[in-house]
Amino acid sequence: MTSTALFTDQYELTMLSAALRDGSAHRACTFEVFARRLPDGRRYGVVAGTGRFLDALRDFRFGEDELASLSFLEADTLDWLRNYRFGGDIDGYREGELFFPGSPILSVRGTFAECVILETLALSIYNHDSAIAAAATRMVSASDGRPLIEMGSRRAHEEAAVASSRVAYICGFAATSNLEAVRRHGIPGAGTSAHAFTLLHTGVDGPDEAAAFRSQIAALGVGTTLLVDTYDITAGVATAIEVAGPELGGVRIDSGDLGVLARQVRRQLDDLGATRTRIVVSGDLDEYAIASLRAEPVDTYGVGTSVVTGSGAPTAGMVYKLVEVDGIPVAKRSSHKESRGGRKRAVRLARSTGTVVEELVTKAGAPLPATDPYTVRELSVPMVRGGEIVHTATVEDARTLVAEGLRSLPWEGLGLSQGDPAVPTVFS
Amino acid sequence: MTSTALFTDQYELTMLSAALRDGSAHRACTFEVFARRLPDGRRYGVVAGTGRFLDALRDFRFGEDELASLSFLEADTLDWLRNYRFGGDIDGYREGELFFPGSPILSVRGTFAECVILETLALSIYNHDSAIAAAATRMVSASDGRPLIEMGSRRAHEEAAVASSRVAYICGFAATSNLEAVRRHGIPGAGTSAHAFTLLHTGVDGPDEAAAFRSQIAALGVGTTLLVDTYDITAGVATAIEVAGPELGGVRIDSGDLGVLARQVRRQLDDLGATRTRIVVSGDLDEYAIASLRAEPVDTYGVGTSVVTGSGAPTAGMVYKLVEVDGIPVAKRSSHKESRGGRKRAVRLARSTGTVVEELVTKAGAPLPATDPYTVRELSVPMVRGGEIVHTATVEDARTLVAEGLRSLPWEGLGLSQGDPAVPTVFS
């Protein structure tokens, strides 16, 4: 086990130290994770990171290696950390659930001491993964059912890339280029060749694209996808079919005006009898570019930079706030950053057709206001009880939930244009 | 050792497989890492990730665990990977060096097979770390010598956060909140308390800010920094000095109009005799907000989201391109994404005052054109020879280099306003 305990901000441990001295460390607390707002113009958020957070929580232990680097703490605090394991309760929205401003995505309950030190770990994972999820889901929605391949690893930190591949798959991407994500999370892998492979087949007489294509087909079979835009796309397509025959699996275009090129290449392929050869496009695609290609003969999208960077919103803006101490609601109140004190419960109201109309957030334990004629669904599920993880969900479960969530949104909530959240969050 | 070998895109291994079959895998190749352009309006880039890349290269080995997940490859390729270790040469810009569009930041030479499979690993690390570096350096430059504390871990993937802390320190930040960065990279740590600690000290009679401050001072001493904006800032400052006396180390303001509040709090502190109590501000600061506070009585900046997300440019846009095969220059030529073929050499020309005037990129081995009256500095250094890492530089070395780089820029290159690169890159 590699400990996750130092994915923590120093102030959590200095607060712990002070609270252990004055006894407040043992007060019963509730912390909640929520986002005050969605990124500019976004209509919904998508919870992601739950599975990774629960794994990281299991490994959040202070061994001697970790303690040795905490020389700013006195012995009593170090002893407390040495024996630490989270012993409280956690409830939360399931991974893949949609969320809206103020949705109480995670509720962490226990003593102040045991809860406060989880802040950075929880936020790092949820903020990163949920940012990727929001972007990926918009892309899936924009693709109108055509498969997307996540190929952005090279544009992200190497570990963030693995997490991004996992999230993109949860949100409906078909496959990833990232081999560590394939190994770690069981996601389908994809990828055939880069321009370097075509360029490698250059001799004293110049480029030999046909040799590169022959070599790739010999290794990967005629069902492979050939990259046709290293030199001249029309010549590249002609060479591809000459070498592979009309049974060629696919061609990839990675540059230029993808809409124009896709039409041109489709016509050329059809003329050559390669009517079933697929067209894969890639190159700086984001959700808007994907949507703009919907009318074109594109079969698969390869998406890189924009998905792993959250397409303009690289972090989800979630916070981890103390909302209740010994049953007393607490909240900061000096500025626009106010929070709502008190432990919360959230339900989602929907029409009988399944279309969501409202996110309703109430005080935990209080009766729900009248919700007729809508159906009511509880949004939080138990995840940890007395320190034991009781929630297990696979990436496939989360993937199903994202797809269900998209079907439940009012149609205008699926638009890419800027607007208010797809449904209002009502605090009662 | 944890292997880094699967931080790799699938297509690198399918290319390897095809190239091993047709013999081209053994051709002598040069790959180069460069950025075609800087993010919109940025005037310079900062190379970061070198140290992490060389560490990751050392651990790039395919053990049985890694090979077991590569079932799409045939036995010969798996055997080749089993015995793989990079045996070629690498030269590159040192970590902390400035760069400009087209700067040949890294040159990787060896057989096609041994070089092609490093693409994703190299780009993930350089693209992430250099994106953070560019943002962090602009913030340091904007802060005009006042210390900055990096506290953005919660807004980034947990491992990316550690890398970001390291990079921020290299670029001139004074400290980090991230305990894993403190342990792993020896960076100074910082952090005292959050609003949760003040809120924790709430009883049946309501909030008790004084109790929270007393507790923190008991644990951390009077030199600590108290967070004064949980309820009312003026009352918070009064309480802080009442509890701590005028020797209080600092107060932190985390919300509101920071410029107005800093002035008001400074006046209040001075009136209370706390003339040496420092003011720390935090809360959505980016390089522009930092610059706008230069005229205010702010002593320290705490920076979160914007630094760990690259302040609008979360990836550096570097690519890894095959530029030479058996001595023959090669380059893609079908689109605007053209590259310049052939192995390159880069020097930086400066006036006798040290101010840089030009980045000059020539063919490797060709004589330099006339460079009078400027001084000439070679930008690449040997990093790997025959697979052995020969370059060692500490984070302190890199930190020194960033500071030197900033001093070498023409003054208009240090502006935050959008513009062309601070110096032109000339290809001869």
Side-chain angles (χ1 to χ4, degrees):
Chain A
M1 168 194 120
T2 304
S3 172
T4 57
L6 294 189
F7 293 136
T8 295
D9 283 324
Q10 178 171 310
Y11 79 174
E12 287 149 40
L13 301 192
T14 50
M15 286 191 276
L16 170 69
S17 165
L20 285 171
R21 277 172 179 251
D22 76 6
S24 60
H26 311 295
R27 300 189 75 177
C29 288
T30 300
F31 285 81
E32 286 178 351
V33 171
F34 59 94
R36 291 194 177 89
R37 67 195 76 82
L38 300 176
D40 272 359
R42 293 275 179 92
R43 321 298 293 265
Y44 57 86
V46 180
V47 174
T50 316
R52 295 211 306 120
F53 172 65
L54 293 175
D55 285 348
L57 179 65
R58 186 181 283 122
D59 298 336
F60 195 91
R61 303 293 291 272
F62 291 83
E64 294 309 317
D65 277 359
E66 287 71 41
L67 295 168
S69 71
L70 303 177
S71 54
F72 59 94
L73 296 173
E74 75 297 346
D76 287 355
T77 305
L78 292 172
D79 282 342
W80 188 92
L81 290 172
R82 186 175 283 113
N83 298 314
Y84 175 78
R85 64 188 292 284
F86 180 69
D89 295 344
I90 299 179
D91 291 72
Y93 283 37
R94 290 176 294 165
E95 186 155 27
E97 189 77 81
L98 301 185
F99 72 89
F100 301 96
S103 294
I105 289 158
L106 203 69
S107 165
V108 180
R109 299 184 301 280
T111 65
F112 177 79
E114 68 186 338
C115 297
V116 73
I117 62 178
L118 298 177
E119 177 179 27
T120 304
L121 183 73
L123 289 179
S124 288
I125 294 175
Y126 275 94
N127 271 325
H128 174 268
D129 288 14
S130 300
I132 306 307
T137 304
R138 281 161 61 89
M139 292 170 190
V140 168
S141 172
S143 75
D144 210 19
R146 296 180 207 174
L148 297 145
I149 301 171
E150 185 279 310
M151 43 174 73
S153 296
R154 63 194 53 201
R155 305 293 181 210
H157 181 282
E158 65 278 18
E159 275 290 347
V162 180
S164 294
S165 299
R166 175 182 178 277
V167 170
Y169 182 73
I170 283 174
C171 297
F173 274 56
T176 179
S177 65
N178 187 296
L179 291 172
E180 183 64 22
V182 171
R183 168 167 70 168
R184 206 182 290 178
H185 302 299
I187 298 166
T192 57
S193 68
H195 296 111
F197 188 73
T198 305
L199 294 172
L200 172 67
H201 292 82
T202 299
V204 286
D205 301 331
D208 189 353
E209 199 175 30
F213 290 171
R214 268 194 302 273
S215 171
Q216 185 177 329
I217 287 164
L220 303 178
V222 77
T224 192
T225 296
L226 296 172
L227 181 59
V228 293
D229 70 342
T230 303
Y231 303 115
D232 174 85
I233 292 181
T234 306
V237 171
T239 303
I241 300 303
E242 201 178 296
V243 167
E247 299 306 309
L248 177 63
V251 295
R252 179 159 76 99
I253 314 170
D254 186 48
S255 50
D257 181 327
L258 295 173
V260 171
L261 291 173
R263 254 173 286 150
Q264 195 175 299
V265 166
R266 180 74 273 157
R267 205 173 313 123
Q268 187 182 2
L269 286 170
D270 289 348
D271 288 348
L272 293 167
T275 53
R276 293 190 306 180
T277 300
R278 294 179 307 278
I279 297 179
V280 182
V281 296
S282 58
D284 293 333
L285 292 177
D286 61 12
E287 61 269 46
Y288 303 100
I290 289 167
S292 77
L293 290 168
R294 279 211 280 212
E296 309 301 340
V298 167
D299 296 287
T300 302
Y301 298 98
V303 185
T305 307
S306 61
V307 65
V308 300
T309 60
S311 200
T315 186
M318 292 179 190
V319 293
Y320 182 91
K321 293 294 171 191
L322 177 62
V323 297
E324 203 169 284
V325 178
D326 285 338
I328 308 165
V330 297
K332 183 169 183 291
R333 61 161 191 248
S334 70
S335 78
H336 64 287
K337 280 197 196 170
E338 278 174 77
S339 320
R340 291 174 186 82
R343 187 176 152 194
K344 296 167 199 70
R345 170 190 183 188
V347 297
R348 196 163 288 162
L349 308 189
R351 299 181 198 285
S352 57
T353 57
T355 302
V356 174
V357 296
E358 184 179 301
E359 184 99 334
L360 176 62
V361 181
T362 65
K363 292 197 180 202
L368 282 186
T371 55
D372 283 344
Y374 303 119
T375 64
V376 173
R377 183 164 70 86
E378 292 288 342
L379 289 166
S380 274
V381 300
M383 291 187 171
V384 177
R385 283 295 174 266
E388 295 302 318
I389 296 167
V390 297
H391 176 75
T392 52
T394 64
V395 293
E396 297 295 341
D397 294 335
R399 187 173 160 98
T400 301
L401 197 57
V402 172
E404 287 173 6
L406 287 180
R407 282 194 296 273
S408 77
L409 282 180
W411 67 268
E412 66 274 19
L414 289 171
L416 294 179
S417 55
Q418 300 219 339
D420 290 330
V423 300
T425 310
V426 175
F427 296 88
S428 104
Chain B
M1 169 195 121
T2 304
S3 173
T4 57
L6 294 190
F7 293 137
T8 295
D9 285 323
Q10 179 171 309
Y11 79 175
E12 287 149 41
L13 301 192
T14 48
M15 285 191 276
L16 170 69
S17 164
L20 285 171
R21 278 172 179 251
D22 77 6
S24 61
H26 311 296
R27 299 188 76 177
C29 286
T30 299
F31 285 82
E32 285 179 351
V33 171
F34 60 94
R36 291 194 176 91
R37 68 193 75 82
L38 300 176
D40 272 358
R42 294 277 179 90
R43 322 297 293 265
Y44 58 85
V46 180
V47 174
T50 316
R52 294 210 308 118
F53 171 65
L54 294 175
D55 286 348
L57 178 66
R58 186 182 282 121
D59 298 336
F60 195 91
R61 303 291 292 271
F62 292 83
E64 293 310 316
D65 276 359
E66 287 72 41
L67 295 168
S69 70
L70 303 176
S71 56
F72 59 93
L73 297 173
E74 76 295 348
D76 287 355
T77 305
L78 292 172
D79 283 342
W80 189 91
L81 290 172
R82 187 174 283 113
N83 298 312
Y84 175 78
R85 67 186 290 284
F86 179 70
D89 294 345
I90 299 179
D91 291 72
Y93 282 38
R94 289 177 295 164
E95 186 155 27
E97 189 78 81
L98 302 184
F99 72 88
F100 300 95
S103 293
I105 289 158
L106 203 68
S107 164
V108 180
R109 300 184 300 280
T111 64
F112 177 79
E114 68 185 339
C115 296
V116 74
I117 63 179
L118 298 177
E119 177 178 26
T120 304
L121 182 73
L123 289 179
S124 287
I125 295 175
Y126 274 93
N127 272 325
H128 174 269
D129 288 13
S130 300
I132 307 308
T137 304
R138 280 160 61 89
M139 292 170 191
V140 168
S141 173
S143 75
D144 211 20
R146 296 181 206 172
L148 298 146
I149 301 171
E150 185 279 310
M151 41 175 73
S153 296
R154 64 194 52 201
R155 306 293 183 210
H157 180 281
E158 66 277 19
E159 275 289 348
V162 180
S164 294
S165 299
R166 175 183 178 277
V167 169
Y169 182 72
I170 284 174
C171 297
F173 275 55
T176 180
S177 65
N178 186 296
L179 291 172
E180 182 65 20
V182 171
R183 168 167 71 168
R184 206 182 290 178
H185 302 299
I187 298 166
T192 57
S193 69
H195 296 111
F197 188 72
T198 306
L199 294 172
L200 172 66
H201 292 82
T202 299
V204 285
D205 300 331
D208 190 352
E209 198 174 30
F213 291 172
R214 268 194 301 274
S215 172
Q216 184 176 330
I217 288 163
L220 303 177
V222 77
T224 192
T225 297
L226 296 172
L227 181 59
V228 293
D229 70 342
T230 303
Y231 304 114
D232 174 87
I233 292 182
T234 306
V237 170
T239 305
I241 300 302
E242 202 177 295
V243 167
E247 300 304 310
L248 176 64
V251 296
R252 178 159 77 100
I253 314 169
D254 186 48
S255 49
D257 183 327
L258 297 173
V260 171
L261 291 172
R263 254 173 286 151
Q264 196 175 297
V265 167
R266 180 75 271 158
R267 206 174 311 122
Q268 187 182 3
L269 287 170
D270 289 348
D271 288 349
L272 294 167
T275 54
R276 292 190 307 179
T277 300
R278 293 180 307 277
I279 297 179
V280 182
V281 297
S282 57
D284 293 332
L285 292 176
D286 62 11
E287 61 268 47
Y288 303 102
I290 290 166
S292 76
L293 290 168
R294 279 209 280 210
E296 309 301 341
V298 167
D299 297 288
T300 301
Y301 299 98
V303 186
T305 307
S306 62
V307 63
V308 300
T309 59
S311 200
T315 186
M318 292 180 190
V319 293
Y320 182 91
K321 292 294 170 190
L322 177 61
V323 297
E324 203 169 285
V325 178
D326 285 339
I328 308 166
V330 297
K332 183 169 183 290
R333 62 160 189 247
S334 70
S335 78
H336 62 288
K337 280 197 196 169
E338 278 175 74
S339 320
R340 289 174 188 83
R343 188 177 152 194
K344 296 170 199 65
R345 170 190 182 187
V347 297
R348 197 163 288 163
L349 309 188
R351 298 183 199 283
S352 57
T353 57
T355 302
V356 174
V357 295
E358 184 180 301
E359 185 100 334
L360 176 63
V361 181
T362 65
K363 293 198 177 199
L368 284 185
T371 55
D372 282 343
Y374 302 119
T375 64
V376 172
R377 183 165 70 87
E378 292 289 341
L379 290 165
S380 275
V381 301
M383 291 186 169
V384 177
R385 284 294 175 266
E388 296 303 317
I389 296 168
V390 298
H391 176 74
T392 52
T394 64
V395 292
E396 298 295 341
D397 294 335
R399 187 172 159 97
T400 302
L401 197 57
V402 172
E404 288 174 4
L406 287 180
R407 282 195 296 275
S408 77
L409 281 180
W411 66 267
E412 66 274 20
L414 289 172
L416 293 179
S417 55
Q418 300 220 337
D420 291 329
V423 300
T425 310
V426 175
F427 296 89
S428 102

